[in-house]
Amino acid sequence: MTSVFDLAPEAPVVPVVVIEDAADAVPLARALVAGGLPLIEVTLRTPAALDAVRAIADGVPEAVVGAGTVVSAAGVADAVGAGARFLVSPGWTERLLGAMRESGVPFLPGVSTVSEVVALLERGVDAMKFFPAEAAGGVPYLKSLAGPLPQARFCPTGGVSATSAPAYLALPNVGCVGGTWMLPPDALASRDWARVESLAREASALRVPISGR
């Protein structure tokens, strides 16, 4: 199966989006894509989330829209039915992992301990979300995993900022980072899509060249 990291390999950051009004989904996605961040995670935290995924999937073909905060088999089915092209969970259970596998779309199950990483590797899963990244040990923690578990690749999410993102992206076991700093609440409230696009463009420039990793 294709990895989430292969869906938009040129995009170093996955915007983690909480959408309260589905009407904002398309202009928000267009701003992110224009800024160079086509991989968009819409979290299933609001009543509008599935409609937002559907709107982006239908209205912004340049975007690769996925669903985050997926915590149940029903959530997997709902997200894929709405058009999600990838799935992200904050953690995993056998049932949830099975549902994500059966969905047919790439997925990132969440981990925060070495044992969870090893358990997923045993099950043939090597692409994971590291969450909550900063609270769980941040850059030093992931750096320490690169030696004993080089086959595991991560998308750190949770407290990652424009300041800390480059250090994560410089690690050999990090494929991208997830964040919200390009989506300031005041810009979303005022629907300042030009500001979102500008911040997205800054975030898209954070990619560390392969030769320097």
Side-chain angles (χ1 to χ4, degrees):
M1 179 184 292
T2 300
S3 167
V4 171
F5 302 122
D6 297 326
L7 293 176
E10 76 285 355
V13 180
V14 179
V16 180
V17 183
V18 179
I19 295 181
E20 301 288 348
D21 185 347
D24 292 336
V26 166
L28 174 57
R30 286 175 176 161
L32 292 171
V33 170
L37 301 181
L39 206 62
I40 302 170
E41 175 188 337
V42 177
T43 63
L44 302 185
R45 302 180 190 177
T46 69
L50 289 173
D51 285 339
V53 170
R54 190 173 294 107
I56 295 171
D58 292 342
V60 192
E62 317 95 292
V64 182
V65 63
T69 321
V70 178
V71 295
S72 68
V76 169
D78 289 342
V80 174
R85 294 172 59 185
F86 66 93
L87 305 168
V88 183
S89 68
W92 65 278
T93 64
E94 293 291 355
R95 183 178 180 186
L96 178 58
L97 186 64
M100 290 192 292
R101 280 187 187 277
E102 292 171 7
S103 72
V105 302
F107 57 91
L108 290 173
V111 297
S112 60
T113 69
V114 176
S115 293
E116 290 170 329
V117 174
V118 172
L120 284 177
L121 290 174
E122 284 184 346
R123 289 158 176 78
V125 178
D126 59 10
M128 311 172 195
K129 171 181 177 175
F130 179 53
F131 176 83
E134 288 291 284
V139 171
Y141 191 95
L142 284 183
K143 185 176 182 179
S144 71
L145 296 186
L149 301 170
Q151 64 272 54
R153 294 187 74 204
F154 302 94
C155 176
T157 306
V160 179
S161 67
T163 301
S164 63
Y168 281 106
L169 292 168
L171 297 176
N173 56 351
V174 168
C176 60
V177 300
T180 62
W181 72 86
M182 73 297 301
L183 302 163
D186 59 335
L188 298 185
S190 63
R191 295 177 170 81
D192 187 349
W193 310 128
R195 184 179 172 200
V196 170
E197 179 181 338
S198 177
L199 291 171
R201 186 169 291 106
E202 292 175 7
S204 71
L206 294 176
R207 168 60 68 200
V208 176
I210 296 297
S211 60
R213 301 182 72 190

